[in-house]
PDB file of all heavy atoms in Angstrom:
ATOM      1  N   ASN A   1      81.100 110.583 -40.978  1.00  0.00           N
ATOM      2  CA  ASN A   1      81.379 110.939 -42.374  1.00  0.00           C
ATOM      3  C   ASN A   1      80.523 112.112 -42.862  1.00  0.00           C
ATOM      4  O   ASN A   1      80.626 112.515 -44.016  1.00  0.00           O
ATOM      5  CB  ASN A   1      81.195 109.724 -43.299  1.00  0.00           C
ATOM      6  CG  ASN A   1      79.803 109.120 -43.194  1.00  0.00           C
ATOM      7  OD1 ASN A   1      78.812 109.845 -43.095  1.00  0.00           O
ATOM      8  ND2 ASN A   1      79.707 107.790 -43.214  1.00  0.00           N
ATOM      9  N   ASP A   2      79.688 112.664 -41.982  1.00  0.00           N
ATOM     10  CA  ASP A   2      78.807 113.776 -42.325  1.00  0.00           C
ATOM     11  C   ASP A   2      79.516 115.091 -41.982  1.00  0.00           C
ATOM     12  O   ASP A   2      79.629 115.461 -40.817  1.00  0.00           O
ATOM     13  CB  ASP A   2      77.503 113.632 -41.532  1.00  0.00           C
ATOM     14  CG  ASP A   2      76.485 114.704 -41.891  1.00  0.00           C
ATOM     15  OD1 ASP A   2      76.890 115.820 -42.273  1.00  0.00           O
ATOM     16  OD2 ASP A   2      75.277 114.435 -41.757  1.00  0.00           O
ATOM     17  N   LYS A   3      79.995 115.771 -43.017  1.00  0.00           N
ATOM     18  CA  LYS A   3      80.791 116.984 -42.771  1.00  0.00           C
ATOM     19  C   LYS A   3      79.971 118.130 -42.194  1.00  0.00           C
ATOM     20  O   LYS A   3      80.487 118.955 -41.441  1.00  0.00           O
ATOM     21  CB  LYS A   3      81.497 117.418 -44.056  1.00  0.00           C
ATOM     22  CG  LYS A   3      82.582 116.433 -44.478  1.00  0.00           C
ATOM     23  CD  LYS A   3      83.524 117.020 -45.500  1.00  0.00           C
ATOM     24  CE  LYS A   3      84.695 116.059 -45.766  1.00  0.00           C
ATOM     25  NZ  LYS A   3      85.668 116.651 -46.707  1.00  0.00           N
ATOM     26  N   SER A   4      78.689 118.185 -42.528  1.00  0.00           N
ATOM     27  CA  SER A   4      77.862 119.261 -41.963  1.00  0.00           C
ATOM     28  C   SER A   4      77.679 119.054 -40.467  1.00  0.00           C
ATOM     29  O   SER A   4      77.707 120.018 -39.685  1.00  0.00           O
ATOM     30  CB  SER A   4      76.503 119.328 -42.670  1.00  0.00           C
ATOM     31  OG  SER A   4      75.761 118.143 -42.465  1.00  0.00           O
ATOM     32  N   ALA A   5      77.525 117.794 -40.036  1.00  0.00           N
ATOM     33  CA  ALA A   5      77.435 117.502 -38.598  1.00  0.00           C
ATOM     34  C   ALA A   5      78.772 117.812 -37.918  1.00  0.00           C
ATOM     35  O   ALA A   5      78.805 118.368 -36.814  1.00  0.00           O
ATOM     36  CB  ALA A   5      77.056 116.044 -38.373  1.00  0.00           C
ATOM     37  N   ALA A   6      79.875 117.472 -38.588  1.00  0.00           N
ATOM     38  CA  ALA A   6      81.197 117.752 -38.034  1.00  0.00           C
ATOM     39  C   ALA A   6      81.397 119.254 -37.828  1.00  0.00           C
ATOM     40  O   ALA A   6      81.910 119.697 -36.788  1.00  0.00           O
ATOM     41  CB  ALA A   6      82.285 117.196 -38.949  1.00  0.00           C
ATOM     42  N   LEU A   7      80.960 120.049 -38.810  1.00  0.00           N
ATOM     43  CA  LEU A   7      81.104 121.499 -38.695  1.00  0.00           C
ATOM     44  C   LEU A   7      80.246 122.043 -37.555  1.00  0.00           C
ATOM     45  O   LEU A   7      80.684 122.925 -36.801  1.00  0.00           O
ATOM     46  CB  LEU A   7      80.714 122.162 -40.017  1.00  0.00           C
ATOM     47  CG  LEU A   7      80.800 123.695 -40.049  1.00  0.00           C
ATOM     48  CD1 LEU A   7      82.212 124.180 -39.717  1.00  0.00           C
ATOM     49  CD2 LEU A   7      80.357 124.226 -41.412  1.00  0.00           C
ATOM     50  N   ARG A   8      79.047 121.503 -37.378  1.00  0.00           N
ATOM     51  CA  ARG A   8      78.188 121.949 -36.275  1.00  0.00           C
ATOM     52  C   ARG A   8      78.836 121.652 -34.925  1.00  0.00           C
ATOM     53  O   ARG A   8      78.727 122.449 -33.984  1.00  0.00           O
ATOM     54  CB  ARG A   8      76.818 121.265 -36.350  1.00  0.00           C
ATOM     55  CG  ARG A   8      75.923 121.763 -37.453  1.00  0.00           C
ATOM     56  CD  ARG A   8      74.593 121.040 -37.443  1.00  0.00           C
ATOM     57  NE  ARG A   8      73.755 121.466 -36.320  1.00  0.00           N
ATOM     58  CZ  ARG A   8      72.595 120.897 -36.005  1.00  0.00           C
ATOM     59  NH1 ARG A   8      72.144 119.863 -36.723  1.00  0.00           N
ATOM     60  NH2 ARG A   8      71.887 121.330 -34.988  1.00  0.00           N
ATOM     61  N   ILE A   9      79.502 120.509 -34.823  1.00  0.00           N
ATOM     62  CA  ILE A   9      80.174 120.151 -33.571  1.00  0.00           C
ATOM     63  C   ILE A   9      81.299 121.142 -33.278  1.00  0.00           C
ATOM     64  O   ILE A   9      81.411 121.674 -32.167  1.00  0.00           O
ATOM     65  CB  ILE A   9      80.707 118.703 -33.648  1.00  0.00           C
ATOM     66  CG1 ILE A   9      79.546 117.708 -33.721  1.00  0.00           C
ATOM     67  CG2 ILE A   9      81.593 118.385 -32.438  1.00  0.00           C
ATOM     68  CD1 ILE A   9      79.961 116.285 -34.040  1.00  0.00           C
ATOM     69  N   VAL A  10      82.128 121.410 -34.275  1.00  0.00           N
ATOM     70  CA  VAL A  10      83.251 122.339 -34.098  1.00  0.00           C
ATOM     71  C   VAL A  10      82.743 123.748 -33.808  1.00  0.00           C
ATOM     72  O   VAL A  10      83.276 124.465 -32.952  1.00  0.00           O
ATOM     73  CB  VAL A  10      84.178 122.308 -35.330  1.00  0.00           C
ATOM     74  CG1 VAL A  10      85.232 123.406 -35.249  1.00  0.00           C
ATOM     75  CG2 VAL A  10      84.850 120.935 -35.446  1.00  0.00           C
ATOM     76  N   ASP A  11      81.685 124.150 -34.494  1.00  0.00           N
ATOM     77  CA  ASP A  11      81.117 125.484 -34.290  1.00  0.00           C
ATOM     78  C   ASP A  11      80.544 125.667 -32.885  1.00  0.00           C
ATOM     79  O   ASP A  11      80.357 126.797 -32.429  1.00  0.00           O
ATOM     80  CB  ASP A  11      80.019 125.768 -35.318  1.00  0.00           C
ATOM     81  CG  ASP A  11      80.570 126.205 -36.664  1.00  0.00           C
ATOM     82  OD1 ASP A  11      81.766 126.553 -36.745  1.00  0.00           O
ATOM     83  OD2 ASP A  11      79.801 126.186 -37.656  1.00  0.00           O
ATOM     84  N   ALA A  12      80.240 124.554 -32.213  1.00  0.00           N
ATOM     85  CA  ALA A  12      79.664 124.640 -30.866  1.00  0.00           C
ATOM     86  C   ALA A  12      80.705 125.031 -29.810  1.00  0.00           C
ATOM     87  O   ALA A  12      80.337 125.417 -28.691  1.00  0.00           O
ATOM     88  CB  ALA A  12      79.010 123.311 -30.484  1.00  0.00           C
ATOM     89  N   LEU A  13      81.992 124.923 -30.148  1.00  0.00           N
ATOM     90  CA  LEU A  13      83.024 125.400 -29.227  1.00  0.00           C
ATOM     91  C   LEU A  13      82.929 126.916 -29.078  1.00  0.00           C
ATOM     92  O   LEU A  13      82.617 127.625 -30.035  1.00  0.00           O
ATOM     93  CB  LEU A  13      84.420 125.040 -29.745  1.00  0.00           C
ATOM     94  CG  LEU A  13      84.868 123.587 -29.627  1.00  0.00           C
ATOM     95  CD1 LEU A  13      86.168 123.379 -30.388  1.00  0.00           C
ATOM     96  CD2 LEU A  13      85.050 123.174 -28.162  1.00  0.00           C
ATOM     97  N   GLN A  14      83.225 127.408 -27.886  1.00  0.00           N
ATOM     98  CA  GLN A  14      83.128 128.846 -27.602  1.00  0.00           C
ATOM     99  C   GLN A  14      84.469 129.387 -27.097  1.00  0.00           C
ATOM    100  O   GLN A  14      84.682 129.538 -25.897  1.00  0.00           O
ATOM    101  CB  GLN A  14      82.024 129.095 -26.570  1.00  0.00           C
ATOM    102  CG  GLN A  14      80.648 128.667 -27.065  1.00  0.00           C
ATOM    103  CD  GLN A  14      79.595 128.709 -25.985  1.00  0.00           C
ATOM    104  OE1 GLN A  14      79.769 128.160 -24.904  1.00  0.00           O
ATOM    105  NE2 GLN A  14      78.482 129.384 -26.267  1.00  0.00           N
ATOM    106  N   PRO A  15      85.393 129.667 -28.032  1.00  0.00           N
ATOM    107  CA  PRO A  15      86.721 130.131 -27.625  1.00  0.00           C
ATOM    108  C   PRO A  15      86.698 131.446 -26.862  1.00  0.00           C
ATOM    109  O   PRO A  15      87.662 131.780 -26.171  1.00  0.00           O
ATOM    110  CB  PRO A  15      87.480 130.260 -28.953  1.00  0.00           C
ATOM    111  CG  PRO A  15      86.443 130.285 -30.020  1.00  0.00           C
ATOM    112  CD  PRO A  15      85.290 129.499 -29.498  1.00  0.00           C
ATOM    113  N   GLU A  16      85.587 132.180 -26.939  1.00  0.00           N
ATOM    114  CA  GLU A  16      85.482 133.421 -26.174  1.00  0.00           C
ATOM    115  C   GLU A  16      85.513 133.163 -24.665  1.00  0.00           C
ATOM    116  O   GLU A  16      85.697 134.095 -23.868  1.00  0.00           O
ATOM    117  CB  GLU A  16      84.201 134.186 -26.550  1.00  0.00           C
ATOM    118  CG  GLU A  16      82.900 133.472 -26.271  1.00  0.00           C
ATOM    119  CD  GLU A  16      82.391 132.639 -27.447  1.00  0.00           C
ATOM    120  OE1 GLU A  16      83.218 132.244 -28.301  1.00  0.00           O
ATOM    121  OE2 GLU A  16      81.180 132.380 -27.491  1.00  0.00           O
ATOM    122  N   LEU A  17      85.376 131.891 -24.271  1.00  0.00           N
ATOM    123  CA  LEU A  17      85.488 131.548 -22.848  1.00  0.00           C
ATOM    124  C   LEU A  17      86.924 131.676 -22.345  1.00  0.00           C
ATOM    125  O   LEU A  17      87.152 131.711 -21.140  1.00  0.00           O
ATOM    126  CB  LEU A  17      84.980 130.120 -22.601  1.00  0.00           C
ATOM    127  CG  LEU A  17      83.487 129.881 -22.853  1.00  0.00           C
ATOM    128  CD1 LEU A  17      83.158 128.400 -22.726  1.00  0.00           C
ATOM    129  CD2 LEU A  17      82.640 130.699 -21.892  1.00  0.00           C
ATOM    130  N   GLY A  18      87.887 131.685 -23.279  1.00  0.00           N
ATOM    131  CA  GLY A  18      89.260 131.954 -22.875  1.00  0.00           C
ATOM    132  C   GLY A  18      90.255 130.833 -23.075  1.00  0.00           C
ATOM    133  O   GLY A  18      91.452 131.031 -22.879  1.00  0.00           O
ATOM    134  N   PHE A  19      89.811 129.647 -23.499  1.00  0.00           N
ATOM    135  CA  PHE A  19      90.777 128.569 -23.718  1.00  0.00           C
ATOM    136  C   PHE A  19      91.562 128.821 -25.003  1.00  0.00           C
ATOM    137  O   PHE A  19      91.039 129.356 -25.972  1.00  0.00           O
ATOM    138  CB  PHE A  19      90.092 127.199 -23.750  1.00  0.00           C
ATOM    139  CG  PHE A  19      88.973 127.070 -24.745  1.00  0.00           C
ATOM    140  CD1 PHE A  19      89.233 126.820 -26.086  1.00  0.00           C
ATOM    141  CD2 PHE A  19      87.647 127.193 -24.340  1.00  0.00           C
ATOM    142  CE1 PHE A  19      88.202 126.693 -27.008  1.00  0.00           C
ATOM    143  CE2 PHE A  19      86.604 127.072 -25.259  1.00  0.00           C
ATOM    144  CZ  PHE A  19      86.888 126.820 -26.584  1.00  0.00           C
ATOM    145  N   LYS A  20      92.840 128.423 -24.985  1.00  0.00           N
ATOM    146  CA  LYS A  20      93.716 128.607 -26.146  1.00  0.00           C
ATOM    147  C   LYS A  20      94.155 127.280 -26.761  1.00  0.00           C
ATOM    148  O   LYS A  20      94.863 127.255 -27.762  1.00  0.00           O
ATOM    149  CB  LYS A  20      94.952 129.422 -25.753  1.00  0.00           C
ATOM    150  CG  LYS A  20      94.637 130.865 -25.333  1.00  0.00           C
ATOM    151  CD  LYS A  20      93.975 131.640 -26.459  1.00  0.00           C
ATOM    152  CE  LYS A  20      93.686 133.082 -26.065  1.00  0.00           C
ATOM    153  NZ  LYS A  20      92.907 133.785 -27.118  1.00  0.00           N
ATOM    154  N   GLN A  21      93.760 126.176 -26.130  1.00  0.00           N
ATOM    155  CA  GLN A  21      94.081 124.854 -26.657  1.00  0.00           C
ATOM    156  C   GLN A  21      92.818 124.017 -26.698  1.00  0.00           C
ATOM    157  O   GLN A  21      91.972 124.102 -25.800  1.00  0.00           O
ATOM    158  CB  GLN A  21      95.133 124.164 -25.778  1.00  0.00           C
ATOM    159  CG  GLN A  21      96.510 124.815 -25.815  1.00  0.00           C
ATOM    160  CD  GLN A  21      97.479 124.136 -24.860  1.00  0.00           C
ATOM    161  OE1 GLN A  21      97.263 124.141 -23.648  1.00  0.00           O
ATOM    162  NE2 GLN A  21      98.530 123.539 -25.395  1.00  0.00           N
ATOM    163  N   VAL A  22      92.699 123.202 -27.760  1.00  0.00           N
ATOM    164  CA  VAL A  22      91.596 122.257 -27.888  1.00  0.00           C
ATOM    165  C   VAL A  22      92.186 120.880 -28.138  1.00  0.00           C
ATOM    166  O   VAL A  22      93.055 120.721 -29.010  1.00  0.00           O
ATOM    167  CB  VAL A  22      90.653 122.642 -29.051  1.00  0.00           C
ATOM    168  CG1 VAL A  22      89.625 121.548 -29.304  1.00  0.00           C
ATOM    169  CG2 VAL A  22      89.950 123.963 -28.764  1.00  0.00           C
ATOM    170  N   LEU A  23      91.745 119.898 -27.373  1.00  0.00           N
ATOM    171  CA  LEU A  23      92.207 118.529 -27.539  1.00  0.00           C
ATOM    172  C   LEU A  23      91.071 117.706 -28.140  1.00  0.00           C
ATOM    173  O   LEU A  23      89.995 117.595 -27.549  1.00  0.00           O
ATOM    174  CB  LEU A  23      92.617 117.939 -26.185  1.00  0.00           C
ATOM    175  CG  LEU A  23      92.992 116.452 -26.180  1.00  0.00           C
ATOM    176  CD1 LEU A  23      94.203 116.181 -27.065  1.00  0.00           C
ATOM    177  CD2 LEU A  23      93.237 115.962 -24.752  1.00  0.00           C
ATOM    178  N   GLU A  24      91.330 117.131 -29.322  1.00  0.00           N
ATOM    179  CA  GLU A  24      90.356 116.224 -29.921  1.00  0.00           C
ATOM    180  C   GLU A  24      90.705 114.792 -29.543  1.00  0.00           C
ATOM    181  O   GLU A  24      91.832 114.332 -29.756  1.00  0.00           O
ATOM    182  CB  GLU A  24      90.317 116.353 -31.448  1.00  0.00           C
ATOM    183  CG  GLU A  24      89.244 115.449 -32.043  1.00  0.00           C
ATOM    184  CD  GLU A  24      89.237 115.388 -33.564  1.00  0.00           C
ATOM    185  OE1 GLU A  24      90.016 116.124 -34.204  1.00  0.00           O
ATOM    186  OE2 GLU A  24      88.449 114.588 -34.108  1.00  0.00           O
ATOM    187  N   VAL A  25      89.724 114.086 -29.011  1.00  0.00           N
ATOM    188  CA  VAL A  25      89.920 112.698 -28.565  1.00  0.00           C
ATOM    189  C   VAL A  25      89.387 111.754 -29.638  1.00  0.00           C
ATOM    190  O   VAL A  25      88.240 111.870 -30.076  1.00  0.00           O
ATOM    191  CB  VAL A  25      89.182 112.459 -27.231  1.00  0.00           C
ATOM    192  CG1 VAL A  25      89.346 110.998 -26.784  1.00  0.00           C
ATOM    193  CG2 VAL A  25      89.698 113.411 -26.155  1.00  0.00           C
ATOM    194  N   GLY A  26      90.221 110.815 -30.069  1.00  0.00           N
ATOM    195  CA  GLY A  26      89.814 109.826 -31.063  1.00  0.00           C
ATOM    196  C   GLY A  26      89.458 110.409 -32.408  1.00  0.00           C
ATOM    197  O   GLY A  26      88.349 110.203 -32.912  1.00  0.00           O
ATOM    198  N   PRO A  27      90.377 111.147 -33.040  1.00  0.00           N
ATOM    199  CA  PRO A  27      90.052 111.817 -34.308  1.00  0.00           C
ATOM    200  C   PRO A  27      89.836 110.891 -35.498  1.00  0.00           C
ATOM    201  O   PRO A  27      89.299 111.331 -36.517  1.00  0.00           O
ATOM    202  CB  PRO A  27      91.255 112.736 -34.539  1.00  0.00           C
ATOM    203  CG  PRO A  27      92.364 112.147 -33.724  1.00  0.00           C
ATOM    204  CD  PRO A  27      91.713 111.510 -32.539  1.00  0.00           C
ATOM    205  N   GLY A  28      90.269 109.643 -35.411  1.00  0.00           N
ATOM    206  CA  GLY A  28      90.022 108.707 -36.509  1.00  0.00           C
ATOM    207  C   GLY A  28      90.678 109.139 -37.792  1.00  0.00           C
ATOM    208  O   GLY A  28      91.903 109.098 -37.937  1.00  0.00           O
ATOM    209  N   MET A  29      89.882 109.588 -38.763  1.00  0.00           N
ATOM    210  CA  MET A  29      90.421 110.061 -40.044  1.00  0.00           C
ATOM    211  C   MET A  29      90.293 111.580 -40.186  1.00  0.00           C
ATOM    212  O   MET A  29      90.409 112.115 -41.285  1.00  0.00           O
ATOM    213  CB  MET A  29      89.754 109.337 -41.209  1.00  0.00           C
ATOM    214  CG  MET A  29      90.172 107.881 -41.330  1.00  0.00           C
ATOM    215  SD  MET A  29      89.600 107.091 -42.862  1.00  0.00           S
ATOM    216  CE  MET A  29      87.842 107.004 -42.566  1.00  0.00           C
ATOM    217  N   GLY A  30      90.027 112.275 -39.086  1.00  0.00           N
ATOM    218  CA  GLY A  30      90.168 113.726 -39.093  1.00  0.00           C
ATOM    219  C   GLY A  30      88.998 114.548 -39.592  1.00  0.00           C
ATOM    220  O   GLY A  30      89.193 115.695 -39.991  1.00  0.00           O
ATOM    221  N   VAL A  31      87.776 114.016 -39.555  1.00  0.00           N
ATOM    222  CA  VAL A  31      86.655 114.806 -40.068  1.00  0.00           C
ATOM    223  C   VAL A  31      86.412 116.057 -39.209  1.00  0.00           C
ATOM    224  O   VAL A  31      86.096 117.127 -39.735  1.00  0.00           O
ATOM    225  CB  VAL A  31      85.368 113.946 -40.197  1.00  0.00           C
ATOM    226  CG1 VAL A  31      84.861 113.484 -38.848  1.00  0.00           C
ATOM    227  CG2 VAL A  31      84.280 114.705 -40.956  1.00  0.00           C
ATOM    228  N   LEU A  32      86.600 115.940 -37.884  1.00  0.00           N
ATOM    229  CA  LEU A  32      86.537 117.130 -37.029  1.00  0.00           C
ATOM    230  C   LEU A  32      87.836 117.925 -37.131  1.00  0.00           C
ATOM    231  O   LEU A  32      87.821 119.165 -37.154  1.00  0.00           O
ATOM    232  CB  LEU A  32      86.301 116.742 -35.566  1.00  0.00           C
ATOM    233  CG  LEU A  32      84.976 116.084 -35.187  1.00  0.00           C
ATOM    234  CD1 LEU A  32      84.944 115.825 -33.683  1.00  0.00           C
ATOM    235  CD2 LEU A  32      83.797 116.939 -35.588  1.00  0.00           C
ATOM    236  N   SER A  33      88.955 117.218 -37.198  1.00  0.00           N
ATOM    237  CA  SER A  33      90.272 117.867 -37.219  1.00  0.00           C
ATOM    238  C   SER A  33      90.404 118.849 -38.369  1.00  0.00           C
ATOM    239  O   SER A  33      90.996 119.926 -38.221  1.00  0.00           O
ATOM    240  CB  SER A  33      91.386 116.813 -37.329  1.00  0.00           C
ATOM    241  OG  SER A  33      91.140 115.700 -36.504  1.00  0.00           O
ATOM    242  N   ASP A  34      89.852 118.489 -39.533  1.00  0.00           N
ATOM    243  CA  ASP A  34      89.932 119.371 -40.701  1.00  0.00           C
ATOM    244  C   ASP A  34      89.383 120.764 -40.386  1.00  0.00           C
ATOM    245  O   ASP A  34      89.964 121.772 -40.784  1.00  0.00           O
ATOM    246  CB  ASP A  34      89.142 118.776 -41.876  1.00  0.00           C
ATOM    247  CG  ASP A  34      89.895 117.664 -42.595  1.00  0.00           C
ATOM    248  OD1 ASP A  34      91.117 117.535 -42.379  1.00  0.00           O
ATOM    249  OD2 ASP A  34      89.254 116.924 -43.362  1.00  0.00           O
ATOM    250  N   PHE A  35      88.260 120.792 -39.672  1.00  0.00           N
ATOM    251  CA  PHE A  35      87.649 122.081 -39.319  1.00  0.00           C
ATOM    252  C   PHE A  35      88.383 122.747 -38.152  1.00  0.00           C
ATOM    253  O   PHE A  35      88.578 123.966 -38.145  1.00  0.00           O
ATOM    254  CB  PHE A  35      86.173 121.892 -38.971  1.00  0.00           C
ATOM    255  CG  PHE A  35      85.335 121.487 -40.140  1.00  0.00           C
ATOM    256  CD1 PHE A  35      84.774 120.220 -40.207  1.00  0.00           C
ATOM    257  CD2 PHE A  35      85.098 122.366 -41.191  1.00  0.00           C
ATOM    258  CE1 PHE A  35      83.993 119.831 -41.280  1.00  0.00           C
ATOM    259  CE2 PHE A  35      84.320 121.989 -42.281  1.00  0.00           C
ATOM    260  CZ  PHE A  35      83.764 120.719 -42.324  1.00  0.00           C
ATOM    261  N   LEU A  36      88.797 121.949 -37.165  1.00  0.00           N
ATOM    262  CA  LEU A  36      89.505 122.510 -36.007  1.00  0.00           C
ATOM    263  C   LEU A  36      90.782 123.229 -36.436  1.00  0.00           C
ATOM    264  O   LEU A  36      91.109 124.300 -35.916  1.00  0.00           O
ATOM    265  CB  LEU A  36      89.854 121.395 -35.016  1.00  0.00           C
ATOM    266  CG  LEU A  36      88.685 120.778 -34.253  1.00  0.00           C
ATOM    267  CD1 LEU A  36      89.131 119.481 -33.579  1.00  0.00           C
ATOM    268  CD2 LEU A  36      88.131 121.745 -33.213  1.00  0.00           C
ATOM    269  N   LEU A  37      91.485 122.632 -37.391  1.00  0.00           N
ATOM    270  CA  LEU A  37      92.781 123.182 -37.790  1.00  0.00           C
ATOM    271  C   LEU A  37      92.664 124.433 -38.660  1.00  0.00           C
ATOM    272  O   LEU A  37      93.674 125.059 -38.965  1.00  0.00           O
ATOM    273  CB  LEU A  37      93.606 122.096 -38.493  1.00  0.00           C
ATOM    274  CG  LEU A  37      94.117 120.997 -37.547  1.00  0.00           C
ATOM    275  CD1 LEU A  37      94.581 119.771 -38.322  1.00  0.00           C
ATOM    276  CD2 LEU A  37      95.228 121.520 -36.646  1.00  0.00           C
ATOM    277  N   THR A  38      91.439 124.800 -39.025  1.00  0.00           N
ATOM    278  CA  THR A  38      91.248 126.080 -39.726  1.00  0.00           C
ATOM    279  C   THR A  38      90.991 127.216 -38.733  1.00  0.00           C
ATOM    280  O   THR A  38      90.820 128.364 -39.148  1.00  0.00           O
ATOM    281  CB  THR A  38      90.052 126.011 -40.701  1.00  0.00           C
ATOM    282  OG1 THR A  38      88.837 125.855 -39.948  1.00  0.00           O
ATOM    283  CG2 THR A  38      90.214 124.859 -41.675  1.00  0.00           C
ATOM    284  N   ARG A  39      90.963 126.885 -37.433  1.00  0.00           N
ATOM    285  CA  ARG A  39      90.635 127.894 -36.404  1.00  0.00           C
ATOM    286  C   ARG A  39      91.858 128.258 -35.570  1.00  0.00           C
ATOM    287  O   ARG A  39      91.738 128.598 -34.399  1.00  0.00           O
ATOM    288  CB  ARG A  39      89.529 127.359 -35.481  1.00  0.00           C
ATOM    289  CG  ARG A  39      88.353 126.693 -36.176  1.00  0.00           C
ATOM    290  CD  ARG A  39      87.457 127.683 -36.880  1.00  0.00           C
ATOM    291  NE  ARG A  39      86.432 127.033 -37.684  1.00  0.00           N
ATOM    292  CZ  ARG A  39      85.208 126.731 -37.266  1.00  0.00           C
ATOM    293  NH1 ARG A  39      84.853 127.008 -36.021  1.00  0.00           N
ATOM    294  NH2 ARG A  39      84.338 126.172 -38.079  1.00  0.00           N
ATOM    295  N   GLU A  40      93.022 128.167 -36.180  1.00  0.00           N
ATOM    296  CA  GLU A  40      94.253 128.379 -35.419  1.00  0.00           C
ATOM    297  C   GLU A  40      94.375 129.800 -34.865  1.00  0.00           C
ATOM    298  O   GLU A  40      95.131 130.033 -33.925  1.00  0.00           O
ATOM    299  CB  GLU A  40      95.482 128.048 -36.277  1.00  0.00           C
ATOM    300  CG  GLU A  40      95.612 126.573 -36.635  1.00  0.00           C
ATOM    301  CD  GLU A  40      96.138 125.704 -35.493  1.00  0.00           C
ATOM    302  OE1 GLU A  40      97.353 125.742 -35.249  1.00  0.00           O
ATOM    303  OE2 GLU A  40      95.336 124.991 -34.862  1.00  0.00           O
TER     304      GLU A  40
END
């Protein structure tokens, strides 16, 4: 439920590595998903 921690987790992804898809496992109520879906 800590949105700042959720944002830090999402920010740790490095799309410059070349992946074009991200799979979130067990999103629950979407606290990570909210941030992931702004990075389309």
Side-chain angles (χ1 to χ4, degrees):
N1 57 40
D2 184 331
K3 292 196 173 183
S4 63
L7 179 58
R8 287 180 73 187
I9 294 170
V10 172
D11 279 346
L13 285 171
Q14 298 171 309
E16 62 269 24
L17 295 173
F19 55 81
K20 295 299 181 186
Q21 292 176 297
V22 172
L23 174 62
E24 183 187 355
V25 178
M29 289 189 290
V31 66
L32 294 182
S33 318
D34 282 345
F35 293 112
L36 289 166
L37 289 164
T38 66
R39 314 287 173 92
E40 293 283 283

